[in-house]
Amino acid sequence: MKVLMVFDFDHTVVDDNSDTWVIKCLPSQTLPDSVKNSYRKGHWTEFMGRVMNYIGDQEVSPDRVRSVMETIPFTDGMTDLLTFILENKSAVDCIVISDSNTMFIDWILQASGLQAAVDQVFTNPAKINESGYMEVMCHHSHDCDRCPVNLCKKKVLELFLSGQSDRGVEYERVFYVGDGGNDLCPTACLRVHDVVMPRKGYTLEKLLARREGQECNASLRARVIAWSSGTDILQELKTSVQSELLPVK
C-alpha cells in the first residue's frame, strides 16, 4: 500500500496564481477594464479564455507566454518535497488537481525538472490554436453546487481513487494539500486516517476552522494539519512513509 499526495497548484505548489502571473507577458502588465470587468463568479475558466484571447490580440507569442510562466516562484520548500516524492515513487503517488490549465502547469513543472514527481495532472485543458492563440477549456461538467462550473475537485478525486482501486491500488493514507475555497469540497471524501493540509493564513484554513464545532463538520473525518512551507509537508510525509512503508534515507 502506498501514500497518495494530492496537491492544488496555485498558492500551493507555486507561490502565486499562474492565471494572474501570465499578465506579466503583456508590455503593460495589465488588462483593460473591458476584460477585467467581464468576469462572472464561478466562471473563471471562461474569463481566462478572454484573457488569453486578449494576449493573443497583442501579438504576444506562445514562447513569450511560456518564458514568463517559467519564472513563477515555487512555494518555499516545495522543490525539496517534490524531489523526495520523485525519489520515493515506489511508496508515494502524486497528483495535482488545479483550476489552472494543462499548459501552464506542464511548462512550470518541466522548467523545474521535477515533472516526473507528478503522476497525473487534472486541470482545464489548454492548447495553441491555428491562430497562435492559447485556448482554455473546462475540465468537466458536474452537478456540485459548491464548486465552479468547470471543476469539482471532489468528483475528480473520487473518480481517481475509484479507478486506482479497480486496478488494485489502495492507499494507506491520502494527504490533500491546498489553500483555496475550492479545496474544501474534496476534503469530504477523505477518511479518518487521511490528512488535509491547509496553507496557514489562506482561505481553506479559515473555512476548516469555521466548520469546527458545527454539525456539518461531521463530513470531515480527516485530520487537519496546517502548513507554512513545503518543509512542513515533507516532514509529515516522511513520518508516514517511515512508519508504514519503508525506511527514510
Side-chain angles (χ1 to χ4, degrees):
M1 295 181 74
K2 305 175 80 172
V3 168
L4 175 66
M5 297 296 300
V6 184
F7 289 100
D8 172 47
F9 196 72
D10 294 329
H11 291 295
T12 298
V13 175
V14 293
D15 203 18
D16 212 298
N17 184 336
S18 58
D19 280 345
T20 56
W21 190 267
V22 73
I23 307 305
K24 295 178 181 290
C25 73
L26 291 167
S28 63
Q29 297 196 14
T30 188
L31 294 170
D33 289 341
S34 59
V35 177
K36 288 180 184 176
N37 298 335
S38 70
Y39 171 66
R40 291 186 300 138
K41 186 177 180 180
H43 295 264
W44 181 263
T45 302
E46 293 176 17
F47 171 70
M48 282 306 300
R50 290 188 289 275
V51 169
M52 297 314 301
N53 195 58
Y54 176 78
I55 288 173
D57 285 344
Q58 307 313 301
E59 300 183 349
V60 176
S61 70
D63 286 344
R64 169 61 180 160
V65 175
R66 178 170 185 161
S67 66
V68 166
M69 296 313 301
E70 290 175 345
T71 66
I72 195 169
F74 276 73
T75 301
D76 187 39
M78 277 293 168
T79 55
D80 290 340
L81 173 57
L82 290 172
T83 298
F84 177 83
I85 292 171
L86 181 59
E87 292 174 347
N88 291 276
K89 294 307 294 178
S90 63
V92 185
D93 284 347
C94 175
I95 65 172
V96 167
I97 308 177
S98 168
D99 205 359
S100 181
N101 66 73
T102 53
M103 297 192 77
F104 286 178
I105 293 176
D106 287 350
W107 286 340
I108 293 165
L109 289 178
Q110 286 173 13
S112 73
L114 294 168
Q115 189 177 32
V118 179
D119 299 297
Q120 291 190 60
V121 175
F122 300 92
T123 187
N124 302 300
K127 66 178 183 179
I128 304 298
N129 65 22
E130 294 177 355
S131 301
Y133 289 24
M134 183 172 161
E135 293 182 358
V136 185
M137 293 142 281
C138 293
H139 175 71
H140 63 189
S141 60
H142 61 84
D143 56 6
C144 176
D145 60 8
R146 298 183 300 274
C147 291
V149 296
N150 61 293
L151 177 64
C152 171
K153 294 187 176 185
K154 179 184 177 186
K155 180 177 180 180
V156 171
L157 182 55
E158 286 177 333
L159 286 173
F160 174 80
L161 291 172
S162 175
Q164 291 293 88
S165 181
D166 290 344
R167 287 185 284 272
V169 179
E170 301 291 342
Y171 293 106
E172 183 72 27
R173 178 165 292 137
V174 176
F175 289 86
Y176 188 96
V177 184
D179 72 283
N182 64 354
D183 292 310
L184 182 64
C185 190
T187 65
C189 68
L190 299 178
R191 305 158 301 180
V192 67
H193 48 282
D194 296 331
V195 182
V196 54
M197 301 194 72
R199 189 172 184 180
K200 289 182 181 178
Y202 284 72
T203 302
L204 180 60
E205 183 191 32
K206 295 171 184 176
L207 290 173
L208 290 170
R210 193 179 304 163
R211 289 165 63 114
E212 287 186 5
Q214 298 178 359
E215 289 185 10
C216 65
N217 197 48
S219 63
L220 178 64
R221 294 167 291 175
R223 191 159 49 111
V224 178
I225 303 175
W227 62 278
S228 295
S229 72
T231 305
D232 299 334
I233 304 166
L234 178 57
Q235 187 56 51
E236 292 297 328
L237 176 58
K238 281 184 174 181
T239 299
S240 183
V241 168
Q242 184 177 39
S243 63
E244 297 177 30
L245 297 168
L246 82 173
V248 175
K249 297 176 182 179

